Amino acid sequence: MLDRLNHLLGGTLSFDEPMNRHTSFRIGGPADALFVPRDTYELKRALKGAQELGIGVTFIGNGSNLLVRDGGIRGLVIKLSGTLDYVHVLGTSLRAGSGVLLSTLAHVAVEAGLAGLEFAAGIPGTLGGALNMNAGAYDGEMQDVVSAVRALTLAGEEVELKGEELGFGYRHSALKARTLVAVEATLSLVAGDRETSLARITELNRLRREKQPIALPSAGSVFKRPPGHFAGRLIEQAGLKGCRIGDAEVSTLHAGFIVNIGNATARDVLDLIFHVQSRVREQSGILLEPEVRVIGEDKREGA
Ligand SMILES: Cc1cc2nc3c(=O)[nH]c(=O)nc-3n(C[C@H](O)[C@H](O)[C@H](O)COP(=O)(O)OP(=O)(O)OC[C@H]3O[C@@H](n4cnc5c(N)ncnc54)[C@H](O)[C@@H]3O)c2cc1C
């Protein structure tokens, strides 16, 4: 079936593509096939073709919030980072493709004299991934700035979401709930001052470098923030900083991060997540819920 889809898409699929090349954790077994559409038209064709042929589809952005299991991903992976990455400035709004990196988007805003996206400049994902997750940092969240999203269903049908329909909540959105692929978003910003915005971005990036292990492969904060607490602090209080399973380690700099210190497998990370959850629950009674998306299949014994 994937051969037929490949034919339909002009021979542009990469087969048995190692997903560790596409995740910030540098972890993940092979995808049966990976496709990077050049535009919305190709994206629709891929979605429609996959649906007609009964092929499962997984879509990813920059892979910065993903843990792909060691057995990889069956079916088709559609990657949107590195494509659909245009940005148009329209007065105090931006209209941008979902593949644009948040760092690029934030800097385009600043250069256009617009404020409101500084919080996002250091988040290493695409606009699409950030919309799905309602990504946020330093008191800002995507829901503060996004006014409309154009998306596709898995059948390749267009939908437009506005206001309440976007369903934003803490690390949640209607895109996530309805498995929609964002294609483009409109962001409403405010007139600002270039120098002030740049100074804010520099300051936030300094804080990140100081407090987060950004030099090591990771997927950012592993757990959601439990109401009234900080996951990192609970993990630290449970004495788990530096705790290791295989090459997966609870960061010694920020206990909310698990880092890959060499050749960690997804199994190592999942075992460490489970260990952290159990220990924190014993100590505090709080069950930490993963923020990282875990996708794909376990490796089969002997494979
Ligand atoms: C060092 C580091 C620091 C981080 N700091 C932060 C932070 O401060 N705040 C924060 O919120 N996150 C943070 N993250 C996590 C991550 O960068 C964000 O969640 C980001 O928004 C994920 O975007 P992505 O493009 O990498 O998405 P991916 O990881 O590729 O995908 C995440 C989810 O989004 C979906 N998705 C991807 N593209 C689309 C699309 N076009 N339409 C619909 N759904 C889509 C995927 O299917 C998947 O379910 C950090 C990660 C790292 C490694």
Side-chain angles (χ1 to χ4, degrees):
M1 285 302 171
L2 279 167
D3 283 339
R4 284 178 63 187
L5 186 65
N6 193 30
H7 184 68
L8 194 80
L9 298 171
T12 47
L13 297 190
S14 308
F15 290 99
D16 288 323
E17 179 66 20
M19 288 304 293
N20 59 5
R21 294 187 189 156
H22 304 278
T23 59
S24 56
F25 243 141
R26 301 281 167 257
I27 292 174
D32 285 344
L34 180 112
F35 177 59
V36 183
R38 276 177 300 185
D39 50 30
T40 313
Y41 174 74
E42 281 196 356
L43 173 59
K44 272 190 200 170
R45 263 176 68 141
L47 289 171
K48 285 190 173 156
Q51 178 143 102
E52 274 160 29
L53 294 165
I55 297 167
V57 172
T58 302
F59 46 95
I60 67 166
N62 208 32
S64 65
N65 200 47
L66 295 179
L67 178 62
V68 179
R69 290 193 182 89
D70 302 311
I73 303 176
R74 302 293 69 81
L76 180 70
V77 173
I78 300 181
K79 178 172 175 174
L80 294 162
S81 179
T83 184
L84 302 180
D85 53 0
Y86 55 87
V87 186
H88 302 302
V89 181
L90 309 157
T92 53
S93 295
L94 297 182
R95 191 180 304 146
S98 62
V100 71
L101 289 174
L102 290 178
S103 53
T104 306
L105 193 62
H107 280 97
V108 170
V110 170
E111 292 307 324
L114 299 176
L117 256 186
E118 296 83 352
F119 77 89
I123 301 176
T126 60
L127 172 59
L131 292 168
N132 183 300
M133 301 293 303
N134 185 21
Y138 303 110
D139 294 330
E141 272 182 320
M142 293 310 287
Q143 70 173 356
D144 304 336
V145 289
V146 176
S147 50
V149 174
R150 207 156 57 76
L152 297 175
T153 65
L154 287 183
E157 306 299 335
E158 287 213 20
V159 278
E160 171 123 17
L161 304 176
K162 284 186 178 151
E164 294 289 300
E165 292 163 352
L166 291 162
F168 285 128
Y170 175 57
R171 302 292 174 265
H172 187 78
S173 70
L175 294 171
K176 178 178 169 184
R178 294 170 57 185
T179 322
L180 297 171
V181 190
V183 173
E184 183 182 272
T186 305
L187 287 82
S188 300
L189 304 175
V190 292
D193 170 66
R194 181 178 176 276
E195 301 311 318
T196 311
S197 293
L198 277 180
R200 174 84 179 137
I201 290 177
T202 306
E203 171 62 5
L204 295 183
N205 285 345
R206 185 188 64 76
L207 284 175
R208 268 186 200 272
R209 279 196 306 274
E210 226 172 78
K211 298 194 181 321
Q212 298 181 1
I214 55 174
L216 287 168
S218 80
S221 297
V222 174
F223 300 101
K224 291 184 182 166
R225 196 178 55 235
H229 297 272
F230 290 103
R233 195 167 300 156
L234 293 170
I235 297 167
E236 197 174 339
Q237 283 164 357
L240 292 167
K241 250 190 174 179
C243 177
R244 266 172 75 172
I245 294 185
D247 273 350
E249 181 181 277
V250 174
S251 167
T252 48
L253 190 60
H254 186 317
F257 281 56
I258 288 179
V259 289
N260 175 2
I261 56 168
N263 292 305
T265 61
R267 188 72 264 156
D268 294 337
V269 177
L270 288 168
D271 288 348
L272 189 54
I273 288 176
F274 183 71
H275 180 67
V276 168
Q277 284 176 315
S278 313
R279 287 286 297 274
V280 168
R281 193 164 199 178
E282 274 164 28
Q283 295 266 323
S284 65
I286 295 167
L287 178 63
L288 294 175
E289 194 191 326
E291 172 172 326
V292 168
R293 298 280 166 84
V294 183
I295 58 174
E297 295 183 350
D298 285 324
K299 204 168 183 169
R300 271 175 283 137
E301 286 296 311

